[in-house]
């Protein structure tokens, strides 16, 4: 999949990207039918259908999303993933699903995608480092996959793990993180319809630097919860360890909901720098739950979000 993105001919080779993206944005404003007409067979993309969960905000262009990344397995610089992630071989990718499920087992990407309708989810994306983008992901609800494996009644959390391949991931030679990268969600967070497993963006397969072939996207949480290149999903009854919490528990909690009223110990979270806005652009105020409060605030009723940060 990732090889296709990098090496084979796709729309970006045949259509000047800027022209296409511009046209696409105009059509997006005209409604689903017009959009479908343009984005369908003519462009031979993934054919993702539109979703009511998408924001109407304008997405960042593809080159922002693919060139300014956090993927420490390929280096800690923002441009390292774009430079190095081609080394990751995603052929024959498998995801182990285990723990408190009725049908534990190994899933190929074909198994996972069979019978799934891919949706385009245009989400706001807010990094804990106080920058943000708008990203047109392609994916499906994690809840759908969990339904297929059958979650057992004792399960309370979902744990995720990224591939660990020292030969393909130059960044894992340095111990910035206790590899592999791991993340977790409470089961009700995982089942929320906003929580997706993304396999593409801009209607094309996921670029390696953004987490090919399959990554999590949880739009109301800081970006580091959205773990990339997943190889294991485990249902558990205990809160699973998470990489940034293990690295620095004082600064990064398990929940990590976007919250403009709880500052990071070293910087304010009240506002964000919009990537692509230019150095003169005004910072944008950060929204509680990254603007997704209507969908998710109920998950945290009665919880002190300054304590459970
Ligand atoms: N997943 C893995 N495995 N390794 C990482 O370093 N970085 C996280 C998250 N998922 C990271 C990861 C952070 S800090 C962010 S902000 C997002 O990925 C960035 O996603 P993007 O590069 O696609 O914008």
């Amino acid at each position: 999949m990732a090889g296709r993105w990098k090496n084979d001919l796709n729309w970006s080779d045949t259509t000047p990207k800027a022209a296409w993206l511009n046209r696409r944005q105009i059509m997006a404003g005209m409604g689903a039918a017009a959009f479908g007409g343009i984005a369908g067979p003519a462009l031979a993309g993934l054919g993702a259908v539109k979703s009511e969960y998408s924001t109407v905000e304008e997405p960042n262009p593809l080159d922002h999303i693919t060139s300014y990344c956090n993927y420490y397995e390929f280096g800690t610089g923002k441009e390292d993933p774009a430079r190095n992630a081609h080394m990751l071989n995603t052929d024959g990718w498998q995801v182990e699903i285990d723990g408190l499920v009725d049908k534990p087992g190994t899933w190929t990407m074909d198994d996972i995608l069979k019978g799934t309708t891919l949706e385009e989810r245009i989400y706001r994306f807010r990094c804990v480092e106080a920058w943000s983008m708008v990203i047109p992901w392609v994916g499906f609800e994690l809840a759908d996959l969990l339904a297929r494996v059958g979650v057992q009644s004792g399960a309370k959390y979902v744990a995720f793990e990224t591939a660990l391949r020292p030969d393909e991931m130059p960044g894992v030679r340095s111990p910035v993180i206790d590899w592999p990268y791991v993340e977790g969600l409470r089961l009700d967070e995982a089942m929320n319809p906003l929580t997706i497993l993304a396999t593409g963006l801009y209607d094309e397969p996921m670029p390696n630097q953004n987490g090919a072939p399959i990554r999590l996207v949880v739009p109301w949480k800081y970006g580091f919860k959205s773990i990339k290149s997943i190889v294991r999903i485990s249902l558990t009854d205990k809160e699973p360890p998470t990489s940034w919490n293990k690295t620095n528990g004082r600064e990064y909690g398990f929940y990590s909901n976007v919250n403009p009223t709880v500052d990071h110990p070293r910087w304010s979270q009240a506002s964000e720098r919009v990537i692509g806005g230019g150095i003169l652009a005004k910072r944008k105020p950060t929204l509680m739950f990254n603007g997704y409060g209507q969908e998710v605030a109920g998950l945290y009723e009665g919880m002190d979000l300054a304590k459970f940060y």
Side-chain angles (χ1 to χ4, degrees):
M1 266 176 131
R4 190 144 38 98
W5 177 269
K6 272 272 171 219
N7 305 323
D8 295 0
L9 202 65
N10 63 31
W11 59 264
S12 57
D13 301 303
T14 50
T15 313
K17 201 181 291 170
W20 184 77
L21 294 182
N22 192 26
R23 193 158 43 121
R24 178 183 179 283
Q25 275 152 12
I26 294 164
M27 298 311 285
M30 290 171 63
F35 176 86
I38 276 285
L43 292 161
L46 295 174
V49 300
K50 286 165 79 73
S51 161
E52 58 178 357
Y53 292 111
S54 287
T55 171
V56 294
E57 288 158 77
E58 188 167 316
N60 280 73
L62 182 69
D63 65 319
H64 293 172
I65 302 168
T66 55
S67 62
Y68 190 91
C69 298
N70 277 331
Y71 197 168
Y72 278 20
E73 286 86 338
F74 296 100
T76 54
K78 291 284 180 283
E79 290 167 14
D80 290 339
R83 197 177 308 123
N84 296 328
H86 65 92
M87 295 165 75
L88 181 66
N89 179 4
T90 58
D91 293 348
W93 197 267
Q94 294 187 330
V95 181
E96 197 73 33
I97 306 184
D98 60 12
L100 299 170
V101 293
D102 295 334
K103 288 174 267 175
T106 306
W107 293 58
T108 64
M109 286 305 295
D110 280 350
D111 295 332
I112 290 173
L113 292 173
K114 216 180 294 160
T116 318
T117 304
L118 291 176
E119 286 182 30
E120 180 183 61
R121 296 279 182 113
I122 307 173
Y123 280 165
R124 287 180 291 279
F125 189 82
R126 171 60 157 81
C127 178
V128 74
E129 297 162 339
W131 53 263
S132 69
M133 296 196 206
V134 174
I135 304 184
W137 303 108
V138 173
F140 57 91
E141 292 178 14
L142 173 60
D144 291 346
L145 182 62
L146 295 180
R148 285 161 78 191
V149 294
V151 176
Q152 295 185 346
S153 60
K156 294 192 174 66
Y157 294 90
V158 188
F160 305 87
E161 189 179 312
T162 295
L164 174 54
R165 300 197 189 157
D167 293 344
E168 299 174 18
M169 297 173 148
V172 305
R173 285 176 219 141
S174 88
V176 264
I177 276 171
D178 177 19
W179 310 107
Y181 195 101
V182 289
E183 257 307 332
L185 294 173
R186 224 171 51 191
L187 184 59
D188 57 351
E189 298 177 320
M191 298 296 282
N192 188 277
L194 287 177
T195 303
I196 58 167
L197 287 170
T199 57
L201 57 85
Y202 267 119
D203 211 32
E204 289 287 340
M206 190 69 79
N208 275 13
Q209 59 265 42
N210 296 99
I214 186 163
R215 65 156 318 158
L216 187 70
V217 179
V218 195
W220 72 95
K221 292 179 179 280
Y222 291 123
F224 67 85
K225 299 292 291 181
S226 293
I227 182 174
K228 296 179 170 181
S229 307
I230 295 169
V231 291
R232 184 183 294 272
I233 300 175
S234 308
L235 280 288
T236 75
D237 57 359
K238 289 184 194 65
E239 186 180 289
T242 59
S243 282
W244 280 104
N245 181 252
K246 283 197 291 180
T247 305
N248 188 341
R250 204 178 69 85
E251 298 191 352
Y252 308 103
F254 175 79
Y255 284 92
S256 298
N257 293 314
V258 175
N259 187 341
T261 70
V262 176
D263 286 339
H264 186 281
R266 290 182 281 135
W267 58 83
S268 165
Q269 294 292 23
S271 68
E272 60 205 53
R273 178 172 59 95
V274 179
I275 298 300
I279 46 168
L280 295 177
K282 274 211 330 224
R283 292 173 72 90
K284 195 169 100 176
T286 288
L287 301 173
M288 186 66 203
F289 298 117
N290 203 21
Y292 295 100
Q294 206 183 324
E295 290 88 354
V296 302
L299 296 171
Y300 309 104
E301 240 159 65
M303 274 175 74
D304 177 353
L305 294 178
K307 191 163 161 231
F308 294 96
Y309 58 90

